[in-house]
């Protein structure tokens, strides 16, 4: 992991090595945290954060679903995100705001006045799924682990405890020689990858599982839907049977960390010619073009770090 000089903790900039918590912190025992993954890019107009407001809103929504009283406003957290990028002299960076139940109670259900702490971290971050993933694609598999659903947990909350499921999906894939695992939901329909959303192309139409499939409503996913429509493609949100993936013309994953990552094979079955397809390439070009100016920021997604 790359480190930075400072971390924002409860409104103060703290040296990286001093940003610590007590071992009795509630979140360590029960996964009672919510977080975001946000990227800052070096753009043609200076460092800018992609969809900062949307990310912060989802962070606050996640906390609300878990009845966490956040001691800062959304605007204060947005300012903190810009500050950690600016004070650490970063341009391209990964930003991790984290809200967690802190030290004060050992009970699974803490009292309403138990402490809630907030940290915001920013550091340099490369390609999540490997240095060649975006250009060449990855080999994926269908996981034996199902994605959880809203009958058990609030799936739309990006909560730390949910990622034990993501760990099982991703680690199983990697232990078996794949770059990533893709999960189905309890109904056997395609959900998402361990920590990214999934898109499938068939006969020129782009398909993606709906929110009701038990997926996190990804912000990069939403970017791709809008960019694809801007490019004139039809995008359909619909339930996808597992077997449809094997005969797809193209597959790709999306996420803040994954960005736009092609899938070249699934369960050792080649996806079409086993390389990124033309629609995937077009969407990649439109997405990364936001940062060099070749794609107009017509949706106003770029938030200057200097604001």
């Amino acid at each position: 992991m790359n480190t930075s000089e400072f971390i924002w903790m409860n409104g103060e900039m703290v040296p990286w090595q001093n940003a610590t918590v007590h071992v009795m912190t509630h979140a360590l025992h029960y996964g009672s945290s919510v977080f975001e993954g946000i990227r800052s890019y070096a753009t043609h107009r200076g460092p800018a954060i992609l969809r900062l407001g949307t990310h912060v809103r989802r962070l606050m929504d996640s906390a609300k679903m878990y009845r966490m009283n956040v001691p800062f406003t959304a605007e204060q957290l947005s300012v903190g995100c810009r500050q950690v990028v600016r004070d650490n002299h970063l341009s391209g960076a990964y930003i991790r705001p984290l809200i967690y139940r802190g030290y004060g109670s050992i009970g699974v259900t803490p009292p309403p006045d138990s402490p809630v702490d907030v940290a915001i971290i920013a550091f340099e971050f490369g390609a999540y799924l490997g240095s060649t993933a975006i250009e060449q694609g990855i080999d994926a598999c269908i996981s034996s682990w199902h994605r959880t659903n809203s009958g058990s947990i609030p799936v739309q909350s990006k909560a730390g405890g949910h990622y034990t499921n993501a760990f099982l999906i991703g680690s199983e894939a990697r232990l078996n020689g794949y770059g990533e695992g893709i999960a189905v939901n309890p109904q056997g329909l395609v959900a998402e990858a361990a920590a990214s959303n999934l898109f499938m192309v068939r006969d020129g139409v782009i398909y993606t599982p709906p929110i009701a499939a038990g997926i996190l409503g990804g912000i990069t996913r939403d970017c791709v839907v809008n960019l694809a429509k801007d490019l004139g493609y039809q995008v359909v949100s619909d339930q996808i049977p597992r077997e449809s993936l094997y005969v797809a013309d193209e597959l790709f994953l999306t996420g803040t960390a994954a960005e736009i990552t092609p899938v070249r094979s699934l369960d050792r079955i080649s996806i079409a010619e086993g390389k990124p397809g033309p629609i995937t390439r077009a969407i990649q070009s439109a997405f990364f073009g936001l940062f060099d100016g070749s794609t107009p920021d017509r949706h106003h997604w770029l938030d200057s770090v200097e604001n």
Side-chain angles (χ1 to χ4, degrees):
M1 177 185 293
N2 293 313
T3 62
S4 297
E5 189 174 356
F6 300 108
I7 290 176
W8 189 100
M9 289 195 76
N10 291 323
E12 297 182 2
M13 297 300 284
V14 176
W16 180 283
Q17 66 273 15
N18 295 343
T20 58
V21 299
H22 194 279
V23 72
M24 289 302 293
T25 294
H26 193 274
L28 287 177
H29 296 259
Y30 304 114
S32 52
S33 66
V34 297
F35 68 95
E36 279 295 314
I38 312 172
R39 276 197 192 254
S40 170
Y41 287 90
T43 79
H44 62 299
R45 295 181 178 176
I49 300 173
L50 181 63
R51 301 193 68 172
L52 175 59
T54 308
H55 277 286
V56 171
R57 180 178 181 181
R58 187 172 67 178
L59 178 68
M60 299 296 277
D61 287 347
S62 294
K64 184 176 184 179
M65 291 180 206
Y66 273 103
R67 304 174 187 270
M68 300 170 73
N69 297 316
V70 184
F72 297 93
T73 66
E75 179 56 31
Q76 287 173 315
L77 297 182
S78 295
V79 170
C81 288
R82 295 189 196 99
Q83 186 178 1
V84 291
V85 174
R86 187 172 57 248
D87 287 9
N88 285 301
H89 308 291
L90 300 168
S91 51
Y94 186 84
I95 308 166
R96 169 55 57 84
L98 175 69
I99 300 172
Y100 59 98
R101 293 195 182 276
Y103 172 81
S105 173
I106 190 58
V108 173
T109 306
D113 60 350
S114 61
V116 172
D117 295 310
V118 184
I120 307 174
I121 309 99
F123 52 93
E124 291 184 354
F125 187 71
Y128 171 62
L129 294 172
S131 59
T132 63
I134 289 177
E135 283 301 315
Q136 298 178 18
I138 63 165
D139 303 308
C141 68
I142 299 295
S143 178
S144 66
W145 296 97
H146 287 175
R147 181 57 100 198
T148 49
N149 62 40
S150 296
S152 301
I153 57 173
V155 174
Q156 292 310 301
S157 175
K158 193 173 175 69
H162 299 185
Y163 281 75
T164 54
N165 179 246
F167 166 79
L168 292 170
I169 294 166
S171 63
E172 177 186 54
R174 288 162 178 79
L175 286 170
N176 286 291
Y178 297 98
E180 185 60 293
I182 295 169
V184 298
N185 61 28
Q187 289 72 47
L189 298 166
V190 175
E192 57 187 349
S196 52
N197 295 121
L198 176 73
F199 286 81
M200 177 186 83
V201 179
R202 175 82 175 186
D203 295 333
V205 178
I206 303 171
Y207 298 88
T208 190
I211 299 297
I215 68 169
L216 181 71
I219 293 170
T220 307
R221 173 183 180 270
D222 183 68
C223 288
V224 165
V225 169
N226 281 281
L227 290 171
K229 290 178 178 178
D230 291 344
L231 293 169
Y233 295 112
Q234 181 184 0
V235 182
V236 177
S237 177
D238 199 3
Q239 304 285 4
I240 300 175
R242 168 180 175 169
E243 61 269 24
S244 294
L245 301 183
Y246 300 120
V247 293
D249 297 326
E250 303 177 43
L251 291 179
F252 59 92
L253 306 177
T254 66
T256 296
E259 298 175 302
I260 316 293
T261 298
V263 176
R264 63 191 178 196
S265 74
L266 183 65
D267 291 337
R268 308 199 192 284
I269 298 174
S270 178
I271 302 302
E273 297 179 359
K275 61 182 181 180
I279 293 178
T280 303
R281 286 298 192 209
I283 291 172
Q284 283 181 325
S285 179
F287 178 79
F288 291 110
L290 289 166
F291 315 125
D292 65 15
S294 58
T295 299
D297 183 23
R298 60 172 57 91
H299 300 287
H300 307 291
W301 288 337
L302 298 178
D303 193 318
S304 173
V305 168
E306 300 303 324
N307 283 354

